[in-house]
């Protein structure tokens, strides 16, 4: 069986998050320092470590079968590839920013202005939808310096925490798009490699479902079981086991973490005691 070739950013947070995901999927490999390729020892997959900007083109050309990139990179380069999975990590946003001392009211500020960015296609599309005409200057790297050297009145760049903008005397004023890591694939994958891709996505889904859910155990008086069960639907329905103490039961269930925190007070009010919340490594539906 031929290997599924996956292109991953060679360094940075997206690279670290991507490699962690594969390891959580039980895929073993050695990615020593400065290695450009790595072969898994227990799954037919080969890793290619590339610049993030190059990944969409390598996938389109069939050099790599799949790749992991930010949505922003996928949309900017507009290659003929398909998004096969949203991965939910490496979240950020592409935003417009201006010098902190500028008085900004709305998007009309940018009419007739100069904007520096590494994402000219996304920015132009955004400005067109807002009816704004601006001069877009495409630069790569150190976009934040553009206002300070007189190149532009504003910038459009990736923002995570916003600390980089602040340290360069800028403030975020508009969100152009929200981004996260996505898995992209060559639309011309062979049937054999499509099978491998489906197997990989099955593993990824199991890991991501586990991260988004928690295993909950609690004790409750039998008189409150119906109420508590209604708050803990589980994958199909909760498991209810009798305790040694008469009139009490132990309830085991799976619940989305966000739903759990919304319902915790209701569970306690219904009589739940000894509530334990346990991480789930993998979850297969």
């Amino acid at each position: 069986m031929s290997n599924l070739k996956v292109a991953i950013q060679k360094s940075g947070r997206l690279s670290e998050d991507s490699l962690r995901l594969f390891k959580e999927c039980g895929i073993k490999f050695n990615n020593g320092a400065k290695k450009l390729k790595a072969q898994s020892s227990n799954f037919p997959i080969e890793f290619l470590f590339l610049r993030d900007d190059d990944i969409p083109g390598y996938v389109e050309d069939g050099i790599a079968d799949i790749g992991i990139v930010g949505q922003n990179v996928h949309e900017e380069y507009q290659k003929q590839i398909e998004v096969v999975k949203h991965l939910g990590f490496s979240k950020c946003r592409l935003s417009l920013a201006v010098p902190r001392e500028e008085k900004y009211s709305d998007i009309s500020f940018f009419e007739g202005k100069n904007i520096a960015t590494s994402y000219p296609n996304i920015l132009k599309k955004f400005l067109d939808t807002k009816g704004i005409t601006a001069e877009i200057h495409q630069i790569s790297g150190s976009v934040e310096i553009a206002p300070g050297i007189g190149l532009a009145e504003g910038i459009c760049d990736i923002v995570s925490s916003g600390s980089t903008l602040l340290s360069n005397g800028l403030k975020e004023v508009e969100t152009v798009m929200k981004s996260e890591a996505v898995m992209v694939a060559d639309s011309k994958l062979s049937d054999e490699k499509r099978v491998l891709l489906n197997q990989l996505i099955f593993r990824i889904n199991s890991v991501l479902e586990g991260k988004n859910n928690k295993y909950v155990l609690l004790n409750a008086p039998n008189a409150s079981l119906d109420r508590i069960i209604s708050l803990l639907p589980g994958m199909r329905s909760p498991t209810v086991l009798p305790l040694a103490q008469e009139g009490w039961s132990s309830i085991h269930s799976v619940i989305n973490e966000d739903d759990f925190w919304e319902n915790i007070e209701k569970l306690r009010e219904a009589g739940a005691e000894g509530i334990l919340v346990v991480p789930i490594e993998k979850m297969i539906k």
Side-chain angles (χ1 to χ4, degrees):
M1 180 178 288
S2 57
N3 288 324
L4 189 68
K5 294 183 179 180
V6 53
I8 293 177
Q9 186 174 319
K10 62 183 178 180
S11 62
R13 184 166 64 97
L14 180 56
S15 175
E16 295 170 359
D17 290 343
S18 300
L19 293 175
R20 185 182 303 112
L21 174 63
F22 283 104
K23 290 177 180 178
E24 290 171 340
C25 288
I27 297 173
K28 299 178 181 179
F29 55 92
N30 180 11
N31 62 311
K34 298 184 179 179
K35 288 184 67 173
L36 298 180
K37 295 200 303 182
Q39 175 68 50
S40 171
S41 60
N42 65 343
F43 191 85
I45 192 169
E46 181 180 10
F47 297 92
L48 309 177
F49 301 101
L50 307 169
R51 289 180 64 252
D52 59 341
D53 292 351
D54 294 334
I55 291 175
Y58 274 98
V59 175
E60 182 183 51
D61 293 340
I63 305 302
D65 301 309
I66 61 175
I68 296 180
V69 295
Q71 281 177 279
N72 54 300
V73 172
H74 171 60
E75 292 196 19
E76 176 62 30
Y77 288 90
Q78 301 175 358
K79 300 296 184 179
Q80 297 301 306
I81 53 182
E82 56 179 307
V83 174
V84 294
K85 181 67 183 173
H86 288 254
L87 298 172
F89 57 75
S90 295
K91 292 185 177 182
C92 59
R93 56 195 179 275
L94 184 63
S95 294
L96 286 162
V98 299
R100 219 165 25 232
E101 65 273 11
E102 287 284 358
K103 293 182 179 180
Y104 183 89
S105 56
D106 55 42
I107 191 69
S108 64
F109 170 89
F110 291 101
E111 180 65 36
K113 298 289 200 310
N114 297 285
I115 308 174
T117 186
S118 300
Y119 301 94
N121 292 323
I122 295 175
L123 177 57
K124 184 179 187 308
K125 183 178 179 181
F126 175 78
L127 293 176
D128 287 347
T129 63
K130 301 295 184 180
I132 301 297
T133 301
E135 188 70 28
I136 298 174
H137 295 270
Q138 181 177 1
I139 59 177
S140 58
S142 302
V143 176
E144 297 87 356
I145 200 174
I149 61 175
L151 177 63
E153 288 84 13
I155 69 166
C156 179
D157 202 17
I158 291 297
V159 178
S160 294
S161 66
S163 59
T164 303
L165 293 180
L166 289 174
S167 64
N168 284 277
L170 302 173
K171 60 183 178 182
E172 185 178 0
V173 294
E174 298 281 346
T175 298
V176 174
M177 71 169 290
K178 293 183 178 179
S179 179
E180 65 178 88
V182 295
M183 179 175 285
V184 295
D186 180 1
S187 58
K188 305 180 293 296
L189 278 184
S190 66
D191 291 342
E192 182 182 36
K193 290 193 173 182
R194 186 70 64 174
V195 169
L196 289 176
L197 174 58
N198 290 337
Q199 291 174 357
L200 177 60
I201 290 177
F202 174 79
R203 293 192 184 199
I204 290 173
N205 287 340
S206 299
V207 170
L208 296 182
E209 283 290 338
K211 289 179 181 295
N212 293 332
N213 290 276
K214 294 291 182 283
Y215 190 73
V216 180
L217 303 87
L218 56 85
N219 298 329
N222 290 343
S224 301
L225 288 182
D226 288 344
R227 171 62 178 151
I228 291 175
I229 288 172
S230 70
L231 298 170
L232 295 171
M235 294 178 67
R236 184 177 296 275
S237 66
T239 298
V240 180
L241 301 172
L243 293 179
Q245 182 178 348
E246 188 175 349
W248 283 76
S249 295
S250 174
I251 301 176
H252 299 217
S253 188
V254 173
I255 189 170
N256 184 278
E257 186 172 19
D258 292 337
D259 293 337
F260 171 78
W261 289 113
E262 289 179 3
N263 289 331
I264 182 65
E265 289 304 322
K266 295 178 182 178
L267 288 169
R268 295 176 63 190
E269 289 171 3
E273 296 181 1
I275 302 172
L276 299 179
V277 184
V278 183
I280 299 173
E281 182 176 322
K282 297 175 181 67
M283 182 171 161
I284 300 170
K285 291 185 175 181

